[in-house]
Amino acid sequence: MKPLILLCIVTLSVFSSIVLSDLQISKLDRQIDLTSQIVRSSITLKVINNGDSPAPEVLLPFPNQQAEKLVFLVAGSSEGTGKTKASFTPLSIKNSNLEGSPPALTWYSVLLAKPLRKGDTLDLVVKTSFSHILRPFPEKISQADMQLLAFQDSAYYLSPYPIKVQSLTVKLPESKIESYTNTENTEFSGSDIKYGPYENLPSFSFKPIMVHFMCNRPFAVAEELVREIEVSHWGNVQVTEHYNLIHGGAQITGEFSRLDFQARYRGASAFRRLIAALPLRAHSIYYRDEIGNISTSDLRRDSKKMLMNIEPRYPMFGGWRTSFTIGYGLPLKDFLFQAEGKHFINITFGSPIDDLVIDNLTVKVVLPEGSKDISSLVPFYVNQLEEIKFSHLDMVGRPVVVLEKTNVVPEHNLYFQIYYRFSNLSLLREPLMLISGFFVCFIACIIYTHADLTISKTSSSYLAKLQWDEVQSTIQQIQSIMSRCLIIHDNLEASLRDLFRTGDVQTCKAARKAADGMLKENSKELKPLLLLLESSSQADLILTKVNELVSKERELQEKLMLKHSTVVDSYEKKSGGRDIENRVAAVQQRISALRLEVDDLLDIIDEI
Ligand SMILES: *[C@@H]1O[C@H](CO)[C@@H](O)[C@H](O)[C@H]1NC(C)=O
Ligand SMILES: *[C@@H]1O[C@H](CO)[C@@H](O)[C@H](O)[C@H]1NC(C)=O
Ligand SMILES: *[C@@H]1O[C@H](CO)[C@@H](O)[C@H](O)[C@H]1NC(C)=O
Ligand SMILES: *[C@@H]1O[C@H](CO)[C@@H](O)[C@H](O)[C@H]1NC(C)=O
């Protein structure tokens, strides 16, 4: 037991000089819970005033070794007699400097709602939580060992008032115990050790006890945790939590063997997972470490919470560290409210991870840009700062309320509020900036393209394009003239068929005259178009084909006219049908060939 420092044993004589009220405790029950790394005690006591003057306060002394580890203390009066402590009215507590008290004690005083008058009684409940008070003993173990812890206290409650009857129950995580102080009225059963009842003990009675027990519960300690809560009035609260975690239990010595760990699960003292209980409506949940994202498929829901399984990449043994980040979004309307013309955020302070001890916690609440008149309401002491955070599109930055607290335990997971003024117009600033940004960009684009046009009107590529457009429209006109000519050819042929059917020579001659006139007209129209093509540097390729087409069509015209006049003449001379056919056979052959060539050329030009 050498490494264990025994608590100071205070002697009664020291306190003879302290003047205390005539309070007495008629009954006191104390429960100490050692089932997790956070030691919690709950004390119910009945106080009676035996003196003449009313008592305004009840004093609670703690030995300094305990007081240093005391991280949470509440006291309240419990109305309703007996077991029911349904109505717990919290009372304010203040640090108290008692004159003449030895320096080994730290005093707190519970301020009563109304002073306790002579003969009156009061039921009080005092709850305390201690972190880092359990000492691993031995301090170093191997992978295969179980973790043993030592805890020290007094079997008698350290009280400045005499206690009529008192008892203590120490609750252990398991029934396995290495040793415990066995004094009068001690009973060990199941996983509880009971001390007492002890009767009529004077003030400041003290009886050191020590319990040495087995505990393999996770000793997860966040040496540092930074929680960033970013409020966006667009409907989201984004929470990002950066953890620097250590296993605060007995340090592991020797080589770590993963094989051993996996094969026989030798490593009872290690923890492999932590559970974070997030608000039920949390979304976009992620978990990552230095290496990258770790799948968070392991999400479960119970009736109140979204349970997230956080599994580090390796099992955590005593003294081992890990860093990771978890993040999640929350619906704004669950956490943002309004009061007296101000907005306020109402959200919990601590980590969602169960049974976590946090040495240094920083909570940063990032408010929307333009928030003013910022104030906060936290139900315990925190160190407060203000910062500015810049992100995209921010002009003056977002105000950040920074709350710092050391020694945080789950009991601190209370709601706190940040009040601020925020105009809805500020909300529109960013989209307006975006819209005007796009607008400016748009205008710039228009100016740019226009500038490009004016510059390129003199550029050769622009001229070339204009010329090409001109060539194309010319060719289209030529094509349409050519199709008109082909229709005239067809009509000319048709007039010959009509001649044989009706015998009307005059009409047939008139048709030829009309066709001739129209064809001459067309070739007049064609002339300037051909000149245009010839002058264009772009038309070289197509010009030869067009010229070919025009000359073939001209020849076709001539042959058709020749055929027409030959047939009409022969008809007038009453030649027979066969005779006429023979006479025009040669020219007809040429006509057919020319017609095919003209059609081909039209197709070719159409495809260019
Ligand atoms: C916690 O904060 C205190 C002061 O705020 C500092 O002295 C200490 O080094 C910090 N501890 C860790 C683990 O960061
Ligand atoms: C990790 O997950 C977050 C949220 O799902 C995602 O935004 C991020 O891109 C991921 N990072 C990597 C490296 O996969
Ligand atoms: C904050 O929220 C909690 C839980 O919903 C609620 O009990 C508490 O009254 C709220 N506090 C304020 C100031 O609205
Ligand atoms: C500003 O927003 C609040 C709620 O966020 C709303 O009640 C109020 O009517 C809004 N005011 C204006 C001027 O839009």
Side-chain angles (χ1 to χ4, degrees):
M1 290 303 119
K2 251 185 291 160
L4 301 173
I5 309 151
L6 289 179
L7 293 172
C8 64
I9 299 169
V10 286
T11 52
L12 292 177
S13 59
V14 178
F15 299 103
S16 51
S17 60
I18 306 173
V19 184
L20 293 165
S21 52
D22 291 320
L23 290 180
Q24 208 185 24
I25 296 169
S26 56
K27 190 174 188 309
L28 182 143
D29 279 308
R30 195 157 52 116
Q31 304 256 351
I32 296 177
D33 186 341
L34 301 180
T35 58
S36 80
Q37 60 166 332
I38 299 156
V39 172
R40 296 176 169 105
S41 85
S42 165
I43 308 154
T44 58
L45 57 159
K46 197 183 223 19
V47 189
I48 180 162
N49 189 358
N50 285 334
D52 288 327
S53 52
E57 59 179 6
V58 175
L59 293 167
L60 306 174
F62 291 89
N64 279 353
Q65 287 98 327
Q66 280 189 359
E68 281 164 16
K69 315 286 184 182
L70 178 69
V71 292
F72 192 76
L73 169 64
V74 284
S77 58
S78 73
E79 310 289 312
T81 47
K83 300 153 238 143
T84 53
K85 43 178 185 172
S87 65
F88 175 85
T89 320
L91 296 169
S92 48
I93 297 176
K94 70 170 171 58
N95 256 86
S96 182
N97 271 328
L98 217 66
E99 210 148 307
S101 154
L105 291 182
T106 302
W107 294 82
Y108 290 93
S109 96
V110 180
L111 306 174
L112 303 181
K114 58 178 200 285
L116 203 61
R117 284 167 311 172
K118 183 184 167 140
D120 281 357
T121 63
L122 173 73
D123 288 304
L124 265 187
V125 177
V126 177
K127 288 180 189 247
T128 58
S129 304
F130 302 89
S131 67
H132 299 295
I133 201 171
L134 293 172
R135 310 168 120 264
F137 183 71
E139 287 180 346
K140 292 190 171 158
I141 57 174
S142 78
Q143 184 181 343
D145 291 336
M146 299 291 169
Q147 177 173 262
L148 293 170
L149 303 172
F151 176 71
Q152 289 175 295
D153 204 330
S154 164
Y156 307 151
Y157 179 63
L158 182 65
S159 163
Y161 316 112
I163 304 174
K164 215 153 186 182
V165 53
Q166 65 168 302
S167 62
L168 165 67
T169 308
V170 179
K171 196 169 164 43
L172 302 171
E174 296 173 51
S175 57
K176 294 192 190 116
I177 191 161
E178 195 77 0
S179 70
Y180 63 98
T181 308
N182 197 342
T183 173
E184 11 133 27
N185 288 357
T186 308
E187 190 192 324
F188 174 51
S189 71
S191 55
D192 288 351
I193 309 171
K194 288 199 168 73
Y195 289 95
Y198 304 114
E199 288 176 19
N200 295 320
L201 290 174
S203 56
F204 296 110
S205 295
F206 198 84
K207 177 128 198 141
I209 53 163
M210 211 272 300
V211 185
H212 193 199
F213 61 101
M214 203 174 87
C215 176
N216 290 315
R217 298 287 165 96
F219 262 53
V221 177
E223 291 187 311
E224 183 105 55
L225 166 59
V226 179
R227 298 185 75 214
E228 189 179 272
I229 300 168
E230 183 153 1
V231 179
S232 160
H233 275 227
W234 293 103
N236 192 45
V237 176
Q238 181 62 38
V239 184
T240 313
E241 302 177 348
H242 306 279
Y243 290 86
N244 273 334
L245 213 72
I246 186 170
H247 183 312
Q251 299 222 347
I252 200 95
T253 55
E255 286 284 295
F256 165 65
S257 156
R258 185 171 275 275
L259 203 66
D260 255 7
F261 180 75
Q262 278 165 347
R264 281 169 277 166
Y265 191 58
R266 294 175 65 188
S269 65
F271 66 82
R272 283 178 303 168
R273 64 176 59 85
L274 297 163
I275 305 290
L278 307 179
L280 204 53
R281 269 141 62 81
H283 59 86
S284 320
I285 299 165
Y286 67 89
Y287 161 40
R288 68 179 146 80
D289 63 6
E290 305 95 325
I291 304 171
N293 277 355
I294 305 173
S295 161
T296 55
S297 57
D298 207 355
L299 284 172
R300 277 179 298 127
R301 240 176 233 274
D302 70 10
S303 59
K304 292 199 189 89
K305 292 286 179 186
M306 175 83 84
L307 301 174
M308 176 188 184
N309 190 17
I310 297 173
E311 205 162 311
R313 289 182 198 263
Y314 41 83
M316 293 282 293
F317 280 96
W320 289 19
R321 287 162 205 279
T322 184
S323 316
F324 60 86
T325 300
I326 64 173
Y328 46 95
L330 300 170
L332 180 73
K333 64 175 160 50
D334 292 0
F335 300 93
L336 181 75
F337 306 92
Q338 288 185 66
E340 294 158 15
K342 278 189 165 190
H343 294 281
F344 72 93
I345 288 289
N346 183 28
I347 200 165
T348 50
F349 186 78
S351 162
I353 297 179
D354 193 31
D355 253 332
L356 181 72
V357 168
I358 307 162
D359 290 344
N360 281 354
L361 171 61
T362 307
V363 177
K364 297 184 172 191
V365 182
V366 184
L367 297 174
E369 196 178 20
S371 302
K372 286 193 282 284
D373 289 347
I374 300 160
S375 59
S376 62
L377 198 62
V378 188
F380 37 79
Y381 174 77
V382 291
N383 186 33
Q384 281 199 37
L385 310 165
E386 273 205 26
E387 278 178 5
I388 301 285
K389 181 186 174 174
F390 282 93
S391 54
H392 324 290
L393 298 175
D394 285 348
M395 308 261 291
V396 293
R398 297 167 193 225
V400 183
V401 180
V402 182
L403 309 172
E404 293 173 341
K405 175 154 177 54
T406 54
N407 298 320
V408 178
V409 288
E411 282 81 343
H412 292 111
N413 236 347
L414 302 172
Y415 282 88
F416 72 101
Q417 294 84 35
I418 304 286
Y419 292 82
Y420 59 98
R421 277 186 210 286
F422 179 72
S423 141
N424 298 10
L425 284 180
S426 309
L427 200 57
L428 291 176
R429 196 188 54 78
E430 280 186 7
L432 280 179
M433 252 172 69
L434 274 182
I435 290 167
S436 48
F438 280 125
F439 188 71
V440 166
C441 194
F442 181 68
I443 296 286
C445 284
I446 287 179
I447 290 171
Y448 175 76
T449 49
H450 272 248
D452 187 48
L453 281 187
T454 50
I455 290 163
S456 64
K457 260 180 188 162
T458 57
S459 84
S460 58
S461 69
Y462 181 71
L463 283 180
K465 184 183 168 353
L466 276 191
Q467 280 182 8
W468 179 240
D469 287 348
E470 204 172 42
V471 166
Q472 289 212 308
S473 98
T474 312
I475 292 201
Q476 270 170 16
Q477 289 178 60
I478 293 172
Q479 281 173 322
S480 96
I481 291 170
M482 280 301 152
S483 11
R484 287 210 303 268
C485 291
L486 292 186
I487 291 167
I488 296 165
H489 298 171
D490 289 344
N491 289 343
L492 208 55
E493 296 273 65
S495 71
L496 286 180
R497 287 194 293 277
D498 285 345
L499 174 66
F500 286 102
R501 197 157 40 81
T502 61
D504 186 347
V505 176
Q506 290 318 310
T507 313
C508 190
K509 281 185 178 169
R512 182 166 79 223
K513 203 167 174 205
D516 192 47
M518 281 194 283
L519 287 172
K520 285 208 170 79
E521 199 87 346
N522 280 347
S523 63
K524 245 190 256 167
E525 263 182 63
L526 210 52
K527 227 170 235 156
L529 294 175
L530 291 174
L531 286 175
L532 204 72
L533 273 192
E534 272 161 33
S535 71
S536 166
S537 57
Q538 299 274 313
D540 289 350
L541 220 157
I542 207 164
L543 186 61
T544 49
K545 292 294 170 196
V546 171
N547 282 339
E548 207 179 330
L549 173 66
V550 170
S551 67
K552 293 286 179 200
E553 194 273 333
R554 200 155 287 157
E555 194 188 342
L556 184 54
Q557 271 183 39
E558 283 163 16
K559 297 291 183 240
L560 277 170
M561 288 298 167
L562 178 62
K563 176 187 167 190
H564 200 272
S565 52
T566 311
V567 170
V568 174
D569 285 353
S570 308
Y571 187 81
E572 278 178 324
K573 288 174 187 153
K574 310 272 189 240
S575 302
R578 183 149 296 274
D579 194 22
I580 298 171
E581 259 179 53
N582 285 341
R583 224 177 278 177
V584 295
V587 78
Q588 180 58 48
Q589 215 173 0
R590 184 74 190 133
I591 286 172
S592 300
L594 282 168
R595 182 65 197 238
L596 280 177
E597 282 177 69
V598 166
D599 283 344
D600 278 352
L601 282 166
L602 276 172
D603 281 350
I604 289 168
I605 290 165
D606 202 40
E607 279 165 20
I608 289 175

